[in-house]
Amino acid sequence: MRQRRTHLRTAVTAAVALGIALSAAPAQARTPTRPPAPGIENCTATACHFDLPPGTYDVRVTLGGDLASNTAIGGETRRALLPETAAPAGGRTVRGFTVNVRTPEGEPLGPQGTPGLDLTLGGTAPALAGIRVTPARHARQILLVGDSTVCDQPGDPYSGWGQRLPQYLREGLSVANYADSGESTVSYLGNPLLWDAVRPLIRRGDLVLIQLVHNDKTTDGPAYRANLEALVAGVRERGGEPVLVTPVVRRWFNTDGTLDNDTALLVNGLGVDHPAVIRSVAADRDVPLIDLTARTKELVESLGVEGSKALYLYNEKRDNTHTSVHGATVYADLVREELLNLRLVPKGSVRVE
C-alpha cells in the first residue's frame, strides 16, 4: 500500500509539472520576436528597396564577386551614399553608412517620393554580395538648411553639394538635407513647412549647416543679419550646434580672370555683401564658419574660364550658379575638409578613401 501511494504521489507530481510546462508553452509562443534585418532578398542587380518607415538607418554592405568589382551606392533622391569602392576578384569588402529616410524624401516642398528606403547600385563594375539594414540607435545628424545649390536636386543635370556630402561620412553620421530650391532667409523662416518643421527635429549635439544667400536679392543688411541670428538662436535653443556657411561663388569672371565682382561674390542689388554679413555674424555670435565663398573662389579662379565650366552647368544650361554632379561633388569635399579643420566631426567619422 505504501509503495502504491508513493507511485501515486510521484505520478501526481509529474502531472502537475507537465501541466505547468504545457500552460507555459502558449505564453512563450506569444512572446514577440524582432523581425530579421532586411537583407539581400530586397535587391536586384541594380537596386534595393526596403519597406521601412521614416527614420535613420545604418546600412552595412558586403561588396564583391567572382570578378574584380567597383561599386558605388546612391539612394533616395539621387543622394551619393557610398563612393566607388573596389573589391578584388573572389574577395569581399565591407562598408557601412547611415541614411536619413524622410517624407518628402528630397526637397521639403518637393514631391513626396517613394515610401521606404531605395538604394541604387552603380560604379564601373558593381557587385553586391550582402546587405543589412537596421535602425540607427546613436547616429548624429548633420542637418542642412539652404537653397538650390545645397538641396537634393530631383533631376539631372543639377546637383547640390548637400546631395553629394553623405558619401564622405561613415556609419554613425547622417545627412538630413532640408535645403529647398528658391529659398531666402526670409522665405525659409516664414514658411511653416520649412524652419518650423525642421527646428523640432534638431537634437542635442546635432550640427546644423546654414547656407541661405542666393535668393536674398532684396533683403537689406539689417534684415539679413537678424534672420541669420534667428536661425542661430533657434538651433542653440534645441541644443544643436549651428554652423554658418558662406555661399558658393557664381562663375562670373572679370576680364583679368578673377571673380572680384558683385555677381560672383553674392553682393545683392541693394549693395549688401552677404558673405561679409555671414562672417560678421559668425564672429559676433561665436559660430563656426565654413567660408565656402573663399574656398570656391580660389578653386574656380585656379581652374580658369574654361576649366571651371565643368563645375557648373555652363555647357548644359549656360548656368553659372548651379553645379553639375562633378561640381557638387568637389564642393561637398570642400565642406568635408572644413568640418575636419574646424573639428566639428571626429576624423574617424569621415571617409577619406
Side-chain angles (χ1 to χ4, degrees), residues 62-74:
T62 302
L63 308 174
D66 294 337
L67 304 176
S69 63
N70 282 282
T71 308
I73 299 179

PDB file of all heavy atoms in Angstrom, residues 62-74:
ATOM      1  N   THR A  62      28.254  44.276 -48.041  1.00  0.00           N
ATOM      2  CA  THR A  62      29.397  43.441 -48.402  1.00  0.00           C
ATOM      3  C   THR A  62      29.490  43.463 -49.919  1.00  0.00           C
ATOM      4  O   THR A  62      28.545  43.082 -50.619  1.00  0.00           O
ATOM      5  CB  THR A  62      29.208  42.005 -47.903  1.00  0.00           C
ATOM      6  OG1 THR A  62      29.026  42.014 -46.478  1.00  0.00           O
ATOM      7  CG2 THR A  62      30.421  41.153 -48.245  1.00  0.00           C
ATOM      8  N   LEU A  63      30.615  43.948 -50.411  1.00  0.00           N
ATOM      9  CA  LEU A  63      30.797  44.133 -51.845  1.00  0.00           C
ATOM     10  C   LEU A  63      31.777  43.110 -52.387  1.00  0.00           C
ATOM     11  O   LEU A  63      32.728  42.717 -51.705  1.00  0.00           O
ATOM     12  CB  LEU A  63      31.324  45.540 -52.132  1.00  0.00           C
ATOM     13  CG  LEU A  63      30.529  46.701 -51.516  1.00  0.00           C
ATOM     14  CD1 LEU A  63      31.250  48.016 -51.765  1.00  0.00           C
ATOM     15  CD2 LEU A  63      29.114  46.742 -52.072  1.00  0.00           C
ATOM     16  N   GLY A  64      31.548  42.673 -53.633  1.00  0.00           N
ATOM     17  CA  GLY A  64      32.485  41.769 -54.276  1.00  0.00           C
ATOM     18  C   GLY A  64      31.804  40.603 -54.948  1.00  0.00           C
ATOM     19  O   GLY A  64      30.616  40.332 -54.747  1.00  0.00           O
ATOM     20  N   GLY A  65      32.573  39.901 -55.785  1.00  0.00           N
ATOM     21  CA  GLY A  65      32.076  38.743 -56.510  1.00  0.00           C
ATOM     22  C   GLY A  65      33.226  37.930 -57.056  1.00  0.00           C
ATOM     23  O   GLY A  65      34.372  38.057 -56.604  1.00  0.00           O
ATOM     24  N   ASP A  66      32.935  37.072 -58.027  1.00  0.00           N
ATOM     25  CA  ASP A  66      33.971  36.225 -58.600  1.00  0.00           C
ATOM     26  C   ASP A  66      35.009  37.048 -59.361  1.00  0.00           C
ATOM     27  O   ASP A  66      36.177  36.685 -59.417  1.00  0.00           O
ATOM     28  CB  ASP A  66      33.339  35.202 -59.556  1.00  0.00           C
ATOM     29  CG  ASP A  66      32.453  34.212 -58.818  1.00  0.00           C
ATOM     30  OD1 ASP A  66      32.657  34.027 -57.599  1.00  0.00           O
ATOM     31  OD2 ASP A  66      31.543  33.636 -59.451  1.00  0.00           O
ATOM     32  N   LEU A  67      34.568  38.159 -59.949  1.00  0.00           N
ATOM     33  CA  LEU A  67      35.468  39.041 -60.683  1.00  0.00           C
ATOM     34  C   LEU A  67      35.766  40.301 -59.873  1.00  0.00           C
ATOM     35  O   LEU A  67      35.038  40.632 -58.940  1.00  0.00           O
ATOM     36  CB  LEU A  67      34.840  39.431 -62.021  1.00  0.00           C
ATOM     37  CG  LEU A  67      34.433  38.285 -62.952  1.00  0.00           C
ATOM     38  CD1 LEU A  67      33.736  38.834 -64.188  1.00  0.00           C
ATOM     39  CD2 LEU A  67      35.643  37.442 -63.345  1.00  0.00           C
ATOM     40  N   ALA A  68      36.820  40.997 -60.234  1.00  0.00           N
ATOM     41  CA  ALA A  68      37.126  42.273 -59.588  1.00  0.00           C
ATOM     42  C   ALA A  68      35.957  43.230 -59.812  1.00  0.00           C
ATOM     43  O   ALA A  68      35.346  43.252 -60.884  1.00  0.00           O
ATOM     44  CB  ALA A  68      38.409  42.860 -60.153  1.00  0.00           C
ATOM     45  N   SER A  69      35.630  44.008 -58.784  1.00  0.00           N
ATOM     46  CA  SER A  69      34.444  44.873 -58.867  1.00  0.00           C
ATOM     47  C   SER A  69      34.738  46.262 -58.329  1.00  0.00           C
ATOM     48  O   SER A  69      35.683  46.468 -57.566  1.00  0.00           O
ATOM     49  CB  SER A  69      33.278  44.251 -58.096  1.00  0.00           C
ATOM     50  OG  SER A  69      33.598  44.137 -56.720  1.00  0.00           O
ATOM     51  N   ASN A  70      33.904  47.207 -58.760  1.00  0.00           N
ATOM     52  CA  ASN A  70      33.926  48.578 -58.246  1.00  0.00           C
ATOM     53  C   ASN A  70      32.482  49.020 -58.110  1.00  0.00           C
ATOM     54  O   ASN A  70      31.774  49.155 -59.114  1.00  0.00           O
ATOM     55  CB  ASN A  70      34.683  49.509 -59.189  1.00  0.00           C
ATOM     56  CG  ASN A  70      36.191  49.370 -59.055  1.00  0.00           C
ATOM     57  OD1 ASN A  70      36.795  49.888 -58.134  1.00  0.00           O
ATOM     58  ND2 ASN A  70      36.788  48.638 -59.988  1.00  0.00           N
ATOM     59  N   THR A  71      32.054  49.259 -56.885  1.00  0.00           N
ATOM     60  CA  THR A  71      30.646  49.520 -56.610  1.00  0.00           C
ATOM     61  C   THR A  71      30.464  50.855 -55.916  1.00  0.00           C
ATOM     62  O   THR A  71      31.164  51.164 -54.949  1.00  0.00           O
ATOM     63  CB  THR A  71      30.052  48.413 -55.714  1.00  0.00           C
ATOM     64  OG1 THR A  71      30.330  47.131 -56.287  1.00  0.00           O
ATOM     65  CG2 THR A  71      28.549  48.581 -55.553  1.00  0.00           C
ATOM     66  N   ALA A  72      29.529  51.656 -56.415  1.00  0.00           N
ATOM     67  CA  ALA A  72      29.095  52.885 -55.745  1.00  0.00           C
ATOM     68  C   ALA A  72      27.621  52.724 -55.404  1.00  0.00           C
ATOM     69  O   ALA A  72      26.883  52.019 -56.106  1.00  0.00           O
ATOM     70  CB  ALA A  72      29.292  54.096 -56.641  1.00  0.00           C
ATOM     71  N   ILE A  73      27.189  53.360 -54.314  1.00  0.00           N
ATOM     72  CA  ILE A  73      25.792  53.242 -53.891  1.00  0.00           C
ATOM     73  C   ILE A  73      25.189  54.627 -53.723  1.00  0.00           C
ATOM     74  O   ILE A  73      25.768  55.508 -53.077  1.00  0.00           O
ATOM     75  CB  ILE A  73      25.660  52.443 -52.581  1.00  0.00           C
ATOM     76  CG1 ILE A  73      26.192  51.019 -52.790  1.00  0.00           C
ATOM     77  CG2 ILE A  73      24.208  52.406 -52.115  1.00  0.00           C
ATOM     78  CD1 ILE A  73      26.125  50.152 -51.544  1.00  0.00           C
ATOM     79  N   GLY A  74      24.039  54.821 -54.348  1.00  0.00           N
ATOM     80  CA  GLY A  74      23.253  56.034 -54.167  1.00  0.00           C
ATOM     81  C   GLY A  74      21.913  55.658 -53.568  1.00  0.00           C
ATOM     82  O   GLY A  74      21.625  54.485 -53.310  1.00  0.00           O
TER      83      GLY A  74
END
